[in-house]
Amino acid sequence: MGRSGQGRLVLVATPIGNLGDLSPRAADALRAAALVCCEDTRRTGRLLQHAGVSARMVVANEHTEIARIAEVLDLLAAGHDVALVSDAGTPGISDPGEHLVRAVLDAGHDVSAVPGPAAVVMALVLSGLPTTRFVFEGFLPRSGSERTHRIADVADERRTIVLYEAPHRLARTVGDLFAACGPDRQVALARELTKLHEEVWRGTLAEATVHVDHVEPRGEYVIVLAGAPPAPDADDDTIRAALREALARGSTRKDAVATVTAALGVPKRRVFDLATSLPRPTEPDPLP
Ligand code: SAM
């Protein structure tokens, strides 16, 4: 029960393959809940049985999550806790949860979580790629311009990128990433995490295309892609042109220096020196 004496929605993370990863606190939260919202009652039923928990379950999957909101709010208002689990991992991460959380917060109730497995975090930390800054893209759109644009965004992204993918689409997605990012970008393919056949393959995108062609992808996969390398150093003419453009848009010299420094990723001192050599906007421009 929350501080207010009202019930809480508790997001409970569950194993992504190894039942031993269900934490004691997760089992306690499921036991304490008046209702367990889940994607599939048979699957969650097996988990509850493993944990020795008997609980009332209802389905809150991608089709029914919103329809469950009223029932959940009624229980919370009556002082009961409600648990939300997904088939595997952390609810709300490429799984139902987001709408329920929003509705519960909007109604003024507490939301809590029992943290635990999430394939995104496990794959990232095993990838060997930088972990300090990363983005989670979930599943890419399957086709069309939405997919093309997202892949272009991914190709330009400087932080490490984590993607979920189904095994039968892995080869195509690796091929598309190769086409957009070039052959040398580092990638890790993490499969069957926490399971018997857990494996993390690491290499370049060029090597990855060969790998996925030779080994039939089986099981669940996470793709972890290195961020885009910094753009090659801009030359003086490019910096001057960018400064002129910013000044022509009405920026002060100081703002133009800040904008161009951020946009081109070059040292601020260099941009400043080039900016001071430019004529004031009112003076005639001696540069070609
Ligand atoms: N909520 C889950 C989480 O916290 O990771 C993700 C659910 S999403 C519907 C399923 C996707 O997660 C799979 O297609 C795969 O990309 C990834 N995934 C889940 N379990 C995995 C595992 N054991 N090994 C590798 N990837 C996994």
Side-chain angles (χ1 to χ4, degrees):
M1 193 179 285
R3 281 159 299 170
S4 57
Q6 300 208 328
R8 289 172 314 171
L9 174 68
V10 186
L11 276 62
V12 181
T14 60
I16 56 171
N18 188 326
L19 285 178
D21 292 335
L22 186 78
S23 73
R25 203 157 84 81
D28 287 347
L30 293 169
R31 197 172 289 115
L35 182 70
V36 174
C37 299
C38 60
E39 291 186 89
D40 177 342
T41 52
R42 268 185 306 177
R43 191 173 167 134
T44 299
R46 283 196 295 273
L47 181 74
L48 293 180
Q49 199 176 14
H50 164 83
V53 171
S54 75
R56 185 162 82 83
M57 290 179 280
V58 291
V59 174
N61 59 26
E62 59 179 317
H63 308 293
T64 58
E65 180 185 352
I66 290 173
R68 287 289 167 216
I69 289 173
E71 183 181 358
V72 170
L73 294 184
D74 284 350
L75 281 167
L76 299 182
H80 300 289
D81 282 353
V82 174
L84 172 68
V85 298
S86 63
D87 275 354
T90 300
I93 300 298
S94 293
D95 268 339
E98 183 181 317
H99 299 297
L100 209 44
V101 168
R102 188 66 262 161
V104 166
L105 292 175
D106 287 347
H109 299 292
D110 284 347
V111 178
S112 181
V114 179
V120 44
V121 174
M122 185 167 172
L124 174 71
V125 296
L126 292 180
S127 69
L129 296 170
T131 57
T132 316
R133 299 181 72 212
F134 70 96
V135 289
F136 175 57
E137 280 285 339
F139 291 96
L140 288 172
R142 288 193 197 165
S143 59
S145 61
E146 230 190 309
R147 180 176 172 92
T148 313
H149 289 136
R150 282 277 285 282
I151 288 180
D153 286 349
V154 164
D156 287 343
E157 174 58 59
R158 300 280 285 273
R159 295 164 290 186
T160 302
I161 303 116
V162 186
L163 299 150
Y164 283 168
E165 193 49 287
H168 59 282
R169 287 193 214 100
L170 186 74
R172 183 175 157 229
T173 294
V174 167
D176 287 351
L177 292 172
F178 169 85
C181 307
D184 300 327
R185 192 84 74 90
Q186 290 291 316
V187 66
L189 306 175
R191 77 179 271 265
E192 294 291 83
L193 296 172
T194 76
K195 302 184 198 176
L196 187 62
H197 298 292
E198 174 180 312
E199 178 183 53
V200 184
W201 180 95
R202 302 171 186 87
T204 64
L205 274 174
E207 291 163 345
T209 55
V210 176
H211 173 73
V212 294
D213 269 356
H214 280 74
V215 182
E216 192 196 336
R218 283 223 181 98
E220 300 197 271
Y221 274 88
V222 182
I223 303 172
V224 188
L225 183 68
D233 227 8
D235 61 23
D236 286 358
D237 285 345
T238 307
I239 297 173
R240 278 196 202 97
L243 282 166
R244 281 200 198 93
E245 205 180 300
L247 292 168
R249 282 198 308 266
S251 296
T252 62
R253 186 168 276 187
K254 188 174 164 214
D255 286 348
V257 169
T259 307
V260 172
T261 301
L264 298 180
V266 284
K268 190 172 183 182
R269 181 80 233 172
R270 190 168 151 218
V271 181
F272 178 81
D273 288 346
L274 288 166
T276 50
S277 72
L278 285 180
R280 295 262 165 209
T282 47
E283 296 169 25
D285 188 348
L287 292 169

